[in-house]
Amino acid sequence: MLSRVARFATGSPRVVIAVALLIMMTCGGFGASVQSHLKFGGFLTTDAESAAAGRFIDDNFPGGNPNLVVLVHADGGVDGDAARAAGRRVLDTLSRHREVVGVQSYWTPVSPAFTASLRSKDGKSALVLGNIPGDETAAQIAGGTIESELNGTDENGVTVHAGGLPVSFSDIYDQTMHDTTRAEAIAIPVSLLVLILVFGSLVAASLPLAIGLFAMAAALGILRTLTLFTDISIYSMNMVSMLGLALAIDYSLLIVSRYREELAHGLETRSAIVRSIRTAGRTVVFSASTVACSLAALAVFPQYFLRSFAYAGVAVVIAAAAGAIVILPALLILLGDRVNSLDLRVFLLRRVGRVVSDPVPPQQSRWYRVVTAVMKRAAPVAIVVTAILLLLGAPFLGVRFGYPDDRTLPAQASARVVGDALRNDFDSRLASGAVIAVPGYQGSQPDIGAYAAELSRTPGVAAVASSAGIYVNGSQAFVAPPGMAGPAGTFLSVRTNVDAYSSAGEDQLAALRAVPPPAPVRFGGNTAVNQDAMTAMGDRLPLAGTFIVLTSLLLLFLFTGSVLLPVKALLLNMLSLTATFGAMVWIFQDGHLAGVLGFTPTGSLNPAMPILMFCLAFGMSMDYEVFLLSRIREEWLASDRTPAANTHAVAMGIARTGRIYTSAAGLMALVIGATATSKVSFMILFGIGLSLAVIIDAVVIRTALGPALMRLMSTFNWWAPRPLARLHRLFGLDEAPGSDSGTPVVAPGGIVATPATT
């Protein structure tokens, strides 16, 4: 099939390129408006207890669960005329926004105790609270609009900052989009420079970028189509740009390198292209399949934030692979030998007094010598490298997960300013404590009062307020204005001094749940939302993991015909990722290097990031495994199948592909690592973590631990039970013999066949 595709592309190159440009323009034009159809939320589950509690309060007690916090700061004190005037302006602005309900402020007292909780300890800051009900997208858009209207300093020196969850997510989105644009502006030209150094030719280096642009445009069109049927997170656009460019570079690098190799062996242009697509193209197909299956596993999670990355990831993988297999041959046939034109290495090396040397035969290369040395000491290398990777992964045993809050943002962000003030200057963390819904409650006020009093005795609780008109602060009870308790029921709001996402917050929620309620209750609030999200993701993790493992084992078996090599690849990938996740816990959760990287540690990791990183890094690890195994298998099939031949095949495979997969990994790390320039802490984690995973895999696993294990397993690398061997002969994906397939080799059973190569 790949041969037919290559022959068609090389036979009608202008038609292929014209169709590709048409698809690119159509998808790009249709997908240009995709951003306005994407959703801002998707982090939470809609069927959880905490979500039900939130909906109950929003529907029956507007403003009962405030998520908008406005901080007014006046050096002259909040009881002065300037602060009061600023407070009135805030209230007037919020009154013009119909989406904001249940506004409460220090300057519109409800009860003495509650009013006091809205005033800072030093008397220089006060709060205005409100609620923006509805879905996360609407709340975030409204929060961003309100922030832009309120923030600033007036002529009297009174400053106003908007905060709370909707504003936090609005600030995170704005900062992330700004940082992503900057990262792309860094990654694309630097990638081109590195590609020039790898390929030498400016023309050859431009091909991966052209395929990357096609992949990104096609994926945007696919994403826009998906928005017609399901919710898609706006953050998935980052996946399109980052992964589209990275995979296009990977796949194009592999095919163009093979094409230039075949030209150097004397094949004419068309035969070299067909041969490259049959060999390197086959590797691209398997690689794309493994990456797509790894990302597709994200679709099992209930949060559409994660599902969106599955849709975007699979779309861009398919587009990048299709571009490399169909469009790239058409470009190569038109370029011919000119693919090597504009070799800038000659100019650059002459500037430093050097000349471009002739290619070194694989057996004389540095790669061959290094890998041979590793395999001579296979057992010690395997033991030492495994021990180091496990040591790096040890901190992951103490991992804690928590959804991001305003501390994800830089210190000057509005939501962060408000959050820091609530944590440091006020007696309770308003808008971050637990809320307890009591649907349909028709009991007496004393019963609710007794329940509130018992809740208030929980360690870390500053006060408990009830919609039934009760406010309990420690041992004192205050009667608030008549509440809204009625046929719908009632609810209670817990003011806390504890970080909602900390272990203390979890312990406090457990203690609150242990207090006997007067009727069935539902717990909401940040801690409950976090726990429900963790539970929802934890319930689906086994399914996602099983899907990734089974599809990877199946694809690698079809690729190699071996049972042990897929298992070895799986174990090495898990070891590499364990080391990466351990390093991320040590850096980001425990706060080491926080000052260097410029983030605020919170004692937990955003749970979506490790899941996303795992699926991406696992797919990329399999990507490089396929790159390497393809050439090793080619050498093995052409050998006499002895232990010495196995060792030689491993060394030759790495000698032929080491430069390719390390260059691909370096470029991948560069593209992804550019996101580490972000000012949002979980994006820094994502960029550094995924780059580290790619580098560990390409350098440590593929060049040291993998060869050592293949030397120890010897000819058992290629073993499979007879029934599975027969199955592979029936369904294994090998290219068929042909006139342009290269030198034939003797396959098992003495059958003449072409090598199953890259």
Side-chain angles (χ1 to χ4, degrees), residues 3 6 255 258-259 262 265 267-282 634 735-736 738 740-744 754-758:
S3 294
I255 290 175
R258 186 63 186 241
Y259 167 66
E262 298 297 343
H265 289 163
L267 287 182
E268 57 90 17
T269 300
R270 189 165 186 263
S271 296
I273 294 172
V274 175
R275 172 69 172 161
S276 299
I277 297 302
R278 293 181 59 175
T279 55
R282 175 176 177 267
E634 174 184 359
E735 60 267 18
D740 51 9
S741 59
T743 304
T754 56
T757 61
T758 30

PDB file of all heavy atoms in Angstrom, residues 3 6 255 258-259 262 265 267-282 634 735-736 738 740-744 754-758:
ATOM      1  N   SER A   3       3.851   1.521  -1.082  1.00  0.00           N
ATOM      2  CA  SER A   3       4.496   1.649  -2.390  1.00  0.00           C
ATOM      3  C   SER A   3       3.558   2.318  -3.383  1.00  0.00           C
ATOM      4  O   SER A   3       3.966   3.188  -4.165  1.00  0.00           O
ATOM      5  CB  SER A   3       4.925   0.279  -2.911  1.00  0.00           C
ATOM      6  OG  SER A   3       5.929  -0.271  -2.095  1.00  0.00           O
ATOM      7  N   ALA A   6       3.385   5.981  -2.618  1.00  0.00           N
ATOM      8  CA  ALA A   6       4.595   6.668  -3.044  1.00  0.00           C
ATOM      9  C   ALA A   6       4.642   6.828  -4.563  1.00  0.00           C
ATOM     10  O   ALA A   6       5.042   7.885  -5.079  1.00  0.00           O
ATOM     11  CB  ALA A   6       5.824   5.915  -2.545  1.00  0.00           C
ATOM     12  N   ILE A 255      12.099  10.352   7.119  1.00  0.00           N
ATOM     13  CA  ILE A 255      11.939  10.022   5.697  1.00  0.00           C
ATOM     14  C   ILE A 255      12.997  10.717   4.844  1.00  0.00           C
ATOM     15  O   ILE A 255      13.600  10.101   3.944  1.00  0.00           O
ATOM     16  CB  ILE A 255      10.516  10.393   5.234  1.00  0.00           C
ATOM     17  CG1 ILE A 255       9.497   9.439   5.877  1.00  0.00           C
ATOM     18  CG2 ILE A 255      10.408  10.332   3.712  1.00  0.00           C
ATOM     19  CD1 ILE A 255       8.054   9.779   5.578  1.00  0.00           C
ATOM     20  N   ARG A 258      16.329   9.024   5.244  1.00  0.00           N
ATOM     21  CA  ARG A 258      16.389   7.755   4.513  1.00  0.00           C
ATOM     22  C   ARG A 258      16.500   8.000   3.005  1.00  0.00           C
ATOM     23  O   ARG A 258      17.239   7.304   2.295  1.00  0.00           O
ATOM     24  CB  ARG A 258      15.147   6.922   4.836  1.00  0.00           C
ATOM     25  CG  ARG A 258      15.179   5.518   4.238  1.00  0.00           C
ATOM     26  CD  ARG A 258      16.338   4.701   4.828  1.00  0.00           C
ATOM     27  NE  ARG A 258      16.491   3.415   4.207  1.00  0.00           N
ATOM     28  CZ  ARG A 258      16.391   2.251   4.854  1.00  0.00           C
ATOM     29  NH1 ARG A 258      16.140   2.235   6.143  1.00  0.00           N
ATOM     30  NH2 ARG A 258      16.571   1.119   4.231  1.00  0.00           N
ATOM     31  N   TYR A 259      15.780   9.013   2.530  1.00  0.00           N
ATOM     32  CA  TYR A 259      15.840   9.341   1.104  1.00  0.00           C
ATOM     33  C   TYR A 259      17.258   9.746   0.690  1.00  0.00           C
ATOM     34  O   TYR A 259      17.781   9.275  -0.326  1.00  0.00           O
ATOM     35  CB  TYR A 259      14.848  10.471   0.820  1.00  0.00           C
ATOM     36  CG  TYR A 259      15.012  11.111  -0.532  1.00  0.00           C
ATOM     37  CD1 TYR A 259      14.758  10.404  -1.705  1.00  0.00           C
ATOM     38  CD2 TYR A 259      15.414  12.445  -0.641  1.00  0.00           C
ATOM     39  CE1 TYR A 259      14.903  10.998  -2.948  1.00  0.00           C
ATOM     40  CE2 TYR A 259      15.558  13.046  -1.876  1.00  0.00           C
ATOM     41  CZ  TYR A 259      15.307  12.322  -3.028  1.00  0.00           C
ATOM     42  OH  TYR A 259      15.450  12.915  -4.258  1.00  0.00           O
ATOM     43  N   GLU A 262      19.409   6.675   0.566  1.00  0.00           N
ATOM     44  CA  GLU A 262      19.206   5.857  -0.633  1.00  0.00           C
ATOM     45  C   GLU A 262      19.833   6.516  -1.864  1.00  0.00           C
ATOM     46  O   GLU A 262      20.379   5.827  -2.739  1.00  0.00           O
ATOM     47  CB  GLU A 262      17.705   5.630  -0.860  1.00  0.00           C
ATOM     48  CG  GLU A 262      16.993   4.865   0.257  1.00  0.00           C
ATOM     49  CD  GLU A 262      17.516   3.453   0.433  1.00  0.00           C
ATOM     50  OE1 GLU A 262      18.191   2.942  -0.486  1.00  0.00           O
ATOM     51  OE2 GLU A 262      17.262   2.854   1.497  1.00  0.00           O
ATOM     52  N   HIS A 265      23.358   5.723  -1.930  1.00  0.00           N
ATOM     53  CA  HIS A 265      23.632   4.341  -2.316  1.00  0.00           C
ATOM     54  C   HIS A 265      23.480   4.120  -3.815  1.00  0.00           C
ATOM     55  O   HIS A 265      23.620   2.989  -4.290  1.00  0.00           O
ATOM     56  CB  HIS A 265      22.699   3.395  -1.561  1.00  0.00           C
ATOM     57  CG  HIS A 265      23.025   3.287  -0.103  1.00  0.00           C
ATOM     58  ND1 HIS A 265      22.135   2.769   0.817  1.00  0.00           N
ATOM     59  CD2 HIS A 265      24.125   3.639   0.600  1.00  0.00           C
ATOM     60  CE1 HIS A 265      22.687   2.797   2.016  1.00  0.00           C
ATOM     61  NE2 HIS A 265      23.897   3.326   1.905  1.00  0.00           N
ATOM     62  N   LEU A 267      20.654   4.888  -5.839  1.00  0.00           N
ATOM     63  CA  LEU A 267      19.317   4.775  -6.418  1.00  0.00           C
ATOM     64  C   LEU A 267      18.939   6.081  -7.096  1.00  0.00           C
ATOM     65  O   LEU A 267      19.315   7.169  -6.649  1.00  0.00           O
ATOM     66  CB  LEU A 267      18.284   4.447  -5.338  1.00  0.00           C
ATOM     67  CG  LEU A 267      18.293   3.030  -4.757  1.00  0.00           C
ATOM     68  CD1 LEU A 267      17.179   2.881  -3.731  1.00  0.00           C
ATOM     69  CD2 LEU A 267      18.121   1.985  -5.853  1.00  0.00           C
ATOM     70  N   GLU A 268      18.189   5.950  -8.200  1.00  0.00           N
ATOM     71  CA  GLU A 268      17.696   7.164  -8.834  1.00  0.00           C
ATOM     72  C   GLU A 268      16.548   7.746  -8.003  1.00  0.00           C
ATOM     73  O   GLU A 268      16.022   7.098  -7.108  1.00  0.00           O
ATOM     74  CB  GLU A 268      17.256   6.872 -10.275  1.00  0.00           C
ATOM     75  CG  GLU A 268      16.219   5.802 -10.440  1.00  0.00           C
ATOM     76  CD  GLU A 268      14.811   6.370 -10.394  1.00  0.00           C
ATOM     77  OE1 GLU A 268      14.650   7.590 -10.555  1.00  0.00           O
ATOM     78  OE2 GLU A 268      13.876   5.592 -10.171  1.00  0.00           O
ATOM     79  N   THR A 269      16.170   8.976  -8.293  1.00  0.00           N
ATOM     80  CA  THR A 269      15.309   9.761  -7.400  1.00  0.00           C
ATOM     81  C   THR A 269      14.003   9.058  -7.063  1.00  0.00           C
ATOM     82  O   THR A 269      13.642   8.909  -5.887  1.00  0.00           O
ATOM     83  CB  THR A 269      15.010  11.131  -8.033  1.00  0.00           C
ATOM     84  OG1 THR A 269      16.238  11.828  -8.236  1.00  0.00           O
ATOM     85  CG2 THR A 269      14.097  11.943  -7.128  1.00  0.00           C
ATOM     86  N   ARG A 270      13.282   8.601  -8.094  1.00  0.00           N
ATOM     87  CA  ARG A 270      11.960   8.025  -7.829  1.00  0.00           C
ATOM     88  C   ARG A 270      12.078   6.737  -7.029  1.00  0.00           C
ATOM     89  O   ARG A 270      11.319   6.500  -6.085  1.00  0.00           O
ATOM     90  CB  ARG A 270      11.227   7.767  -9.140  1.00  0.00           C
ATOM     91  CG  ARG A 270       9.765   7.366  -8.956  1.00  0.00           C
ATOM     92  CD  ARG A 270       8.992   7.492 -10.268  1.00  0.00           C
ATOM     93  NE  ARG A 270       7.581   7.258 -10.074  1.00  0.00           N
ATOM     94  CZ  ARG A 270       6.964   6.090 -10.293  1.00  0.00           C
ATOM     95  NH1 ARG A 270       7.686   5.039 -10.690  1.00  0.00           N
ATOM     96  NH2 ARG A 270       5.666   5.961 -10.107  1.00  0.00           N
ATOM     97  N   SER A 271      13.035   5.883  -7.384  1.00  0.00           N
ATOM     98  CA  SER A 271      13.224   4.637  -6.647  1.00  0.00           C
ATOM     99  C   SER A 271      13.633   4.919  -5.204  1.00  0.00           C
ATOM    100  O   SER A 271      13.200   4.225  -4.276  1.00  0.00           O
ATOM    101  CB  SER A 271      14.285   3.768  -7.327  1.00  0.00           C
ATOM    102  OG  SER A 271      13.859   3.377  -8.613  1.00  0.00           O
ATOM    103  N   ALA A 272      14.452   5.947  -4.994  1.00  0.00           N
ATOM    104  CA  ALA A 272      14.870   6.296  -3.636  1.00  0.00           C
ATOM    105  C   ALA A 272      13.683   6.751  -2.800  1.00  0.00           C
ATOM    106  O   ALA A 272      13.570   6.419  -1.611  1.00  0.00           O
ATOM    107  CB  ALA A 272      15.935   7.388  -3.685  1.00  0.00           C
ATOM    108  N   ILE A 273      12.773   7.508  -3.427  1.00  0.00           N
ATOM    109  CA  ILE A 273      11.595   7.975  -2.688  1.00  0.00           C
ATOM    110  C   ILE A 273      10.685   6.811  -2.339  1.00  0.00           C
ATOM    111  O   ILE A 273      10.218   6.679  -1.198  1.00  0.00           O
ATOM    112  CB  ILE A 273      10.832   9.031  -3.514  1.00  0.00           C
ATOM    113  CG1 ILE A 273      11.690  10.287  -3.683  1.00  0.00           C
ATOM    114  CG2 ILE A 273       9.504   9.374  -2.843  1.00  0.00           C
ATOM    115  CD1 ILE A 273      11.091  11.300  -4.631  1.00  0.00           C
ATOM    116  N   VAL A 274      10.408   5.947  -3.324  1.00  0.00           N
ATOM    117  CA  VAL A 274       9.533   4.803  -3.073  1.00  0.00           C
ATOM    118  C   VAL A 274      10.129   3.907  -1.999  1.00  0.00           C
ATOM    119  O   VAL A 274       9.439   3.441  -1.080  1.00  0.00           O
ATOM    120  CB  VAL A 274       9.280   4.011  -4.373  1.00  0.00           C
ATOM    121  CG1 VAL A 274       8.481   2.751  -4.083  1.00  0.00           C
ATOM    122  CG2 VAL A 274       8.544   4.886  -5.388  1.00  0.00           C
ATOM    123  N   ARG A 275      11.432   3.660  -2.117  1.00  0.00           N
ATOM    124  CA  ARG A 275      12.111   2.844  -1.107  1.00  0.00           C
ATOM    125  C   ARG A 275      12.014   3.488   0.275  1.00  0.00           C
ATOM    126  O   ARG A 275      11.772   2.815   1.278  1.00  0.00           O
ATOM    127  CB  ARG A 275      13.580   2.688  -1.513  1.00  0.00           C
ATOM    128  CG  ARG A 275      14.468   2.026  -0.477  1.00  0.00           C
ATOM    129  CD  ARG A 275      14.132   0.584  -0.302  1.00  0.00           C
ATOM    130  NE  ARG A 275      15.112  -0.081   0.541  1.00  0.00           N
ATOM    131  CZ  ARG A 275      14.902  -1.226   1.148  1.00  0.00           C
ATOM    132  NH1 ARG A 275      13.741  -1.835   1.000  1.00  0.00           N
ATOM    133  NH2 ARG A 275      15.836  -1.777   1.882  1.00  0.00           N
ATOM    134  N   SER A 276      12.172   4.788   0.356  1.00  0.00           N
ATOM    135  CA  SER A 276      12.107   5.493   1.640  1.00  0.00           C
ATOM    136  C   SER A 276      10.719   5.414   2.253  1.00  0.00           C
ATOM    137  O   SER A 276      10.573   5.240   3.465  1.00  0.00           O
ATOM    138  CB  SER A 276      12.508   6.967   1.448  1.00  0.00           C
ATOM    139  OG  SER A 276      13.824   7.070   0.960  1.00  0.00           O
ATOM    140  N   ILE A 277       9.689   5.535   1.432  1.00  0.00           N
ATOM    141  CA  ILE A 277       8.325   5.478   1.963  1.00  0.00           C
ATOM    142  C   ILE A 277       7.985   4.060   2.391  1.00  0.00           C
ATOM    143  O   ILE A 277       7.291   3.836   3.391  1.00  0.00           O
ATOM    144  CB  ILE A 277       7.315   5.995   0.911  1.00  0.00           C
ATOM    145  CG1 ILE A 277       7.593   7.473   0.611  1.00  0.00           C
ATOM    146  CG2 ILE A 277       5.886   5.818   1.411  1.00  0.00           C
ATOM    147  CD1 ILE A 277       7.519   8.381   1.822  1.00  0.00           C
ATOM    148  N   ARG A 278       8.477   3.054   1.637  1.00  0.00           N
ATOM    149  CA  ARG A 278       8.204   1.663   2.016  1.00  0.00           C
ATOM    150  C   ARG A 278       8.881   1.287   3.322  1.00  0.00           C
ATOM    151  O   ARG A 278       8.393   0.420   4.051  1.00  0.00           O
ATOM    152  CB  ARG A 278       8.679   0.716   0.921  1.00  0.00           C
ATOM    153  CG  ARG A 278       7.897   0.832  -0.362  1.00  0.00           C
ATOM    154  CD  ARG A 278       8.405  -0.148  -1.387  1.00  0.00           C
ATOM    155  NE  ARG A 278       8.308  -1.519  -0.921  1.00  0.00           N
ATOM    156  CZ  ARG A 278       8.593  -2.585  -1.659  1.00  0.00           C
ATOM    157  NH1 ARG A 278       9.014  -2.411  -2.883  1.00  0.00           N
ATOM    158  NH2 ARG A 278       8.479  -3.803  -1.172  1.00  0.00           N
ATOM    159  N   THR A 279       9.996   1.906   3.614  1.00  0.00           N
ATOM    160  CA  THR A 279      10.766   1.562   4.808  1.00  0.00           C
ATOM    161  C   THR A 279      10.519   2.574   5.921  1.00  0.00           C
ATOM    162  O   THR A 279       9.869   2.280   6.916  1.00  0.00           O
ATOM    163  CB  THR A 279      12.255   1.480   4.455  1.00  0.00           C
ATOM    164  OG1 THR A 279      12.662   2.710   3.846  1.00  0.00           O
ATOM    165  CG2 THR A 279      12.529   0.337   3.508  1.00  0.00           C
ATOM    166  N   ALA A 280      11.023   3.797   5.736  1.00  0.00           N
ATOM    167  CA  ALA A 280      10.808   4.831   6.745  1.00  0.00           C
ATOM    168  C   ALA A 280       9.331   5.174   6.874  1.00  0.00           C
ATOM    169  O   ALA A 280       8.845   5.486   7.968  1.00  0.00           O
ATOM    170  CB  ALA A 280      11.611   6.081   6.390  1.00  0.00           C
ATOM    171  N   GLY A 281       8.594   5.107   5.766  1.00  0.00           N
ATOM    172  CA  GLY A 281       7.155   5.380   5.830  1.00  0.00           C
ATOM    173  C   GLY A 281       6.424   4.361   6.683  1.00  0.00           C
ATOM    174  O   GLY A 281       5.477   4.685   7.398  1.00  0.00           O
ATOM    175  N   ARG A 282       6.863   3.103   6.590  1.00  0.00           N
ATOM    176  CA  ARG A 282       6.270   2.066   7.448  1.00  0.00           C
ATOM    177  C   ARG A 282       6.507   2.385   8.919  1.00  0.00           C
ATOM    178  O   ARG A 282       5.616   2.221   9.756  1.00  0.00           O
ATOM    179  CB  ARG A 282       6.886   0.705   7.088  1.00  0.00           C
ATOM    180  CG  ARG A 282       6.447  -0.441   7.977  1.00  0.00           C
ATOM    181  CD  ARG A 282       7.039  -1.752   7.456  1.00  0.00           C
ATOM    182  NE  ARG A 282       6.694  -2.871   8.330  1.00  0.00           N
ATOM    183  CZ  ARG A 282       7.454  -3.293   9.326  1.00  0.00           C
ATOM    184  NH1 ARG A 282       8.594  -2.667   9.591  1.00  0.00           N
ATOM    185  NH2 ARG A 282       7.085  -4.316  10.071  1.00  0.00           N
ATOM    186  N   GLU A 634      16.082  -4.874  10.606  1.00  0.00           N
ATOM    187  CA  GLU A 634      16.628  -5.007   9.247  1.00  0.00           C
ATOM    188  C   GLU A 634      17.972  -5.735   9.280  1.00  0.00           C
ATOM    189  O   GLU A 634      18.214  -6.656   8.492  1.00  0.00           O
ATOM    190  CB  GLU A 634      16.801  -3.624   8.630  1.00  0.00           C
ATOM    191  CG  GLU A 634      17.489  -3.648   7.276  1.00  0.00           C
ATOM    192  CD  GLU A 634      17.728  -2.259   6.720  1.00  0.00           C
ATOM    193  OE1 GLU A 634      17.347  -1.273   7.388  1.00  0.00           O
ATOM    194  OE2 GLU A 634      18.299  -2.163   5.625  1.00  0.00           O
ATOM    195  N   GLU A 735       6.623  -5.017   4.332  1.00  0.00           N
ATOM    196  CA  GLU A 735       6.470  -4.639   2.935  1.00  0.00           C
ATOM    197  C   GLU A 735       6.730  -5.845   2.042  1.00  0.00           C
ATOM    198  O   GLU A 735       7.538  -6.705   2.365  1.00  0.00           O
ATOM    199  CB  GLU A 735       7.410  -3.481   2.559  1.00  0.00           C
ATOM    200  CG  GLU A 735       8.875  -3.773   2.743  1.00  0.00           C
ATOM    201  CD  GLU A 735       9.343  -3.316   4.107  1.00  0.00           C
ATOM    202  OE1 GLU A 735       8.503  -3.112   4.991  1.00  0.00           O
ATOM    203  OE2 GLU A 735      10.561  -3.181   4.287  1.00  0.00           O
ATOM    204  N   ALA A 736       6.046  -5.889   0.920  1.00  0.00           N
ATOM    205  CA  ALA A 736       6.185  -7.003  -0.020  1.00  0.00           C
ATOM    206  C   ALA A 736       7.391  -6.795  -0.914  1.00  0.00           C
ATOM    207  O   ALA A 736       7.855  -5.686  -1.113  1.00  0.00           O
ATOM    208  CB  ALA A 736       4.917  -7.127  -0.862  1.00  0.00           C
ATOM    209  N   GLY A 738       9.723  -6.241  -4.117  1.00  0.00           N
ATOM    210  CA  GLY A 738       9.517  -5.441  -5.312  1.00  0.00           C
ATOM    211  C   GLY A 738      10.838  -5.030  -5.912  1.00  0.00           C
ATOM    212  O   GLY A 738      11.887  -5.139  -5.314  1.00  0.00           O
ATOM    213  N   ASP A 740      12.117  -2.173  -6.441  1.00  0.00           N
ATOM    214  CA  ASP A 740      12.802  -1.038  -5.862  1.00  0.00           C
ATOM    215  C   ASP A 740      12.954  -1.179  -4.375  1.00  0.00           C
ATOM    216  O   ASP A 740      13.095  -0.236  -3.656  1.00  0.00           O
ATOM    217  CB  ASP A 740      12.051   0.259  -6.175  1.00  0.00           C
ATOM    218  CG  ASP A 740      10.584   0.150  -5.803  1.00  0.00           C
ATOM    219  OD1 ASP A 740      10.201  -0.837  -5.170  1.00  0.00           O
ATOM    220  OD2 ASP A 740       9.825   1.078  -6.141  1.00  0.00           O
ATOM    221  N   SER A 741      12.922  -2.377  -3.877  1.00  0.00           N
ATOM    222  CA  SER A 741      12.915  -2.591  -2.443  1.00  0.00           C
ATOM    223  C   SER A 741      14.280  -2.771  -1.854  1.00  0.00           C
ATOM    224  O   SER A 741      14.456  -2.985  -0.689  1.00  0.00           O
ATOM    225  CB  SER A 741      12.059  -3.797  -2.075  1.00  0.00           C
ATOM    226  OG  SER A 741      12.549  -4.942  -2.706  1.00  0.00           O
ATOM    227  N   GLY A 742      15.324  -2.736  -2.643  1.00  0.00           N
ATOM    228  CA  GLY A 742      16.660  -2.863  -2.071  1.00  0.00           C
ATOM    229  C   GLY A 742      17.146  -4.293  -2.155  1.00  0.00           C
ATOM    230  O   GLY A 742      16.583  -5.182  -2.771  1.00  0.00           O
ATOM    231  N   THR A 743      18.258  -4.565  -1.523  1.00  0.00           N
ATOM    232  CA  THR A 743      18.888  -5.878  -1.572  1.00  0.00           C
ATOM    233  C   THR A 743      18.051  -6.899  -0.838  1.00  0.00           C
ATOM    234  O   THR A 743      17.680  -6.707   0.302  1.00  0.00           O
ATOM    235  CB  THR A 743      20.274  -5.820  -0.924  1.00  0.00           C
ATOM    236  OG1 THR A 743      21.016  -4.800  -1.589  1.00  0.00           O
ATOM    237  CG2 THR A 743      20.995  -7.131  -1.041  1.00  0.00           C
ATOM    238  N   PRO A 744      17.706  -8.040  -1.455  1.00  0.00           N
ATOM    239  CA  PRO A 744      16.927  -9.047  -0.761  1.00  0.00           C
ATOM    240  C   PRO A 744      17.748  -9.748   0.296  1.00  0.00           C
ATOM    241  O   PRO A 744      18.961  -9.825   0.207  1.00  0.00           O
ATOM    242  CB  PRO A 744      16.510 -10.010  -1.876  1.00  0.00           C
ATOM    243  CG  PRO A 744      17.556  -9.836  -2.926  1.00  0.00           C
ATOM    244  CD  PRO A 744      17.999  -8.426  -2.858  1.00  0.00           C
ATOM    245  N   THR A 754      12.322  -8.934   1.194  1.00  0.00           N
ATOM    246  CA  THR A 754      13.011  -7.671   1.448  1.00  0.00           C
ATOM    247  C   THR A 754      13.082  -7.428   2.937  1.00  0.00           C
ATOM    248  O   THR A 754      12.271  -7.930   3.697  1.00  0.00           O
ATOM    249  CB  THR A 754      12.248  -6.514   0.797  1.00  0.00           C
ATOM    250  OG1 THR A 754      10.919  -6.545   1.290  1.00  0.00           O
ATOM    251  CG2 THR A 754      12.236  -6.645  -0.701  1.00  0.00           C
ATOM    252  N   PRO A 755      14.065  -6.674   3.387  1.00  0.00           N
ATOM    253  CA  PRO A 755      14.187  -6.424   4.820  1.00  0.00           C
ATOM    254  C   PRO A 755      12.998  -5.646   5.354  1.00  0.00           C
ATOM    255  O   PRO A 755      12.467  -4.775   4.693  1.00  0.00           O
ATOM    256  CB  PRO A 755      15.471  -5.581   4.923  1.00  0.00           C
ATOM    257  CG  PRO A 755      16.173  -5.733   3.618  1.00  0.00           C
ATOM    258  CD  PRO A 755      15.131  -6.026   2.613  1.00  0.00           C
ATOM    259  N   ALA A 756      12.617  -5.984   6.584  1.00  0.00           N
ATOM    260  CA  ALA A 756      11.614  -5.177   7.280  1.00  0.00           C
ATOM    261  C   ALA A 756      12.368  -4.051   7.953  1.00  0.00           C
ATOM    262  O   ALA A 756      12.891  -4.199   9.021  1.00  0.00           O
ATOM    263  CB  ALA A 756      10.878  -6.014   8.317  1.00  0.00           C
ATOM    264  N   THR A 757      12.484  -2.955   7.258  1.00  0.00           N
ATOM    265  CA  THR A 757      13.397  -1.897   7.682  1.00  0.00           C
ATOM    266  C   THR A 757      12.642  -0.716   8.223  1.00  0.00           C
ATOM    267  O   THR A 757      11.446  -0.737   8.374  1.00  0.00           O
ATOM    268  CB  THR A 757      14.228  -1.450   6.474  1.00  0.00           C
ATOM    269  OG1 THR A 757      13.338  -0.955   5.498  1.00  0.00           O
ATOM    270  CG2 THR A 757      15.030  -2.576   5.902  1.00  0.00           C
ATOM    271  N   THR A 758      13.450   0.343   8.507  1.00  0.00           N
ATOM    272  CA  THR A 758      12.784   1.554   8.973  1.00  0.00           C
ATOM    273  C   THR A 758      11.796   2.018   7.968  1.00  0.00           C
ATOM    274  O   THR A 758      10.899   2.706   8.242  1.00  0.00           O
ATOM    275  CB  THR A 758      13.807   2.677   9.222  1.00  0.00           C
ATOM    276  OG1 THR A 758      14.903   2.532   8.363  1.00  0.00           O
ATOM    277  CG2 THR A 758      14.223   2.731  10.645  1.00  0.00           C
TER     278      THR A 758
END
